[in-house]
Amino acid sequence: MDDFPPTDLPTVELTDPATMRVLAHPTRLRLLGELRVHGPCSVGTLSRAVDEAPGSVSYHLSRLAEVGLAAEAPEHAPDRRQRWWRSVHALTRTPSPLDTSDPERSAASTALRKSFVRGLADAHEAYLDAEHDLPPEWAEAASSGDLYFDLTADELAEMAAEVEQLWARWLARSDRDRPGTRPVLALYALFPRP
């Protein structure tokens, strides 16, 4: 969908294998995710969020900056001692898995998408570890599960489009400044069972 997600930051289509390999690092994926969820952050804040030393976080952020996925945000720093960073894009897309014209790009895309999946599984496990510490209304509102459907390829594509439309509607309603809100991670994967 062209308007998914509705935001002032663009979507980036990764085509360069080297860029995909840089992003495939789990710490870099987490840092980029933090910047996208929370907006511009200091190295110290990011260090605590990903449980990495500030020097390591600075290194990974500089690698993301080298490939155009993150940028310094000095306008947010209260003084020159703090380094702040921001995400350059709202959403990352990878090339179609069917495009095998460049085997190196195809391998890098597969590695990146596998890293995405591992990161999402880690995030879900972290939620399960913290679930009992949440206010009851948040724990009861959360949901996860899986279903199997017998669909044609066209129906699978139609279902994926409907899910993206649903997400776009809820993303348009999302407002981190509204009282009572907190970041909520939504996961979905639609694929033919191997």
Side-chain angles (χ1 to χ4, degrees):
M1 296 177 62
D2 292 337
D3 60 344
F4 182 79
T7 180
D8 58 340
L9 291 178
T11 295
V12 62
E13 178 81 28
L14 298 183
T15 57
D16 175 49
T19 301
M20 286 185 256
R21 280 197 233 53
V22 166
L23 184 55
H25 190 285
T27 300
R28 293 178 199 142
L29 275 174
R30 289 184 62 210
L31 288 168
L32 191 58
E34 288 294 318
L35 292 172
R36 288 179 177 174
V37 169
H38 299 291
C41 293
S42 70
V43 169
T45 299
L46 292 167
S47 176
R48 289 185 294 279
V50 300
D51 196 26
E52 294 270 344
S56 174
V57 167
S58 290
Y59 168 75
H60 289 301
L61 289 167
S62 68
R63 293 289 289 140
L64 289 170
E66 287 171 11
V67 296
L69 297 173
E72 287 198 57
E75 66 277 11
H76 293 280
D79 58 53
R80 303 184 107 222
R81 292 175 293 158
Q82 290 188 18
R83 289 183 70 192
W84 282 62
W85 292 82
R86 65 178 175 80
S87 174
V88 175
H89 305 95
L91 184 68
T92 303
R93 294 196 188 272
T94 57
S96 165
L98 299 178
D99 180 6
T100 57
S101 61
D102 181 345
E104 184 182 0
R105 182 175 61 212
S106 181
S109 174
T110 297
L112 176 57
R113 289 180 290 124
K114 285 181 177 181
S115 193
F116 284 154
V117 170
R118 284 189 293 274
L120 294 172
D122 289 346
H124 198 178
E125 284 187 25
Y127 161 74
L128 293 174
D129 290 340
E131 184 175 48
H132 295 287
D133 297 327
L134 289 174
E137 65 273 15
W138 282 98
E140 290 171 10
S143 175
S144 64
D146 62 284
L147 293 169
Y148 289 98
F149 302 91
D150 294 306
L151 304 174
T152 66
D154 288 342
E155 290 169 334
L156 178 58
E158 181 182 346
M159 184 181 203
E162 286 181 22
V163 169
E164 284 201 359
Q165 289 171 358
L166 176 68
W167 282 26
R169 189 180 87 222
W170 281 98
L171 193 56
R173 188 171 170 176
S174 177
D175 178 0
R176 75 179 63 174
D177 295 327
R178 192 165 30 113
T181 66
R182 66 187 301 164
V184 172
L185 175 60
L187 310 173
Y188 89 94
L190 302 172
F191 53 86
R193 188 171 185 205

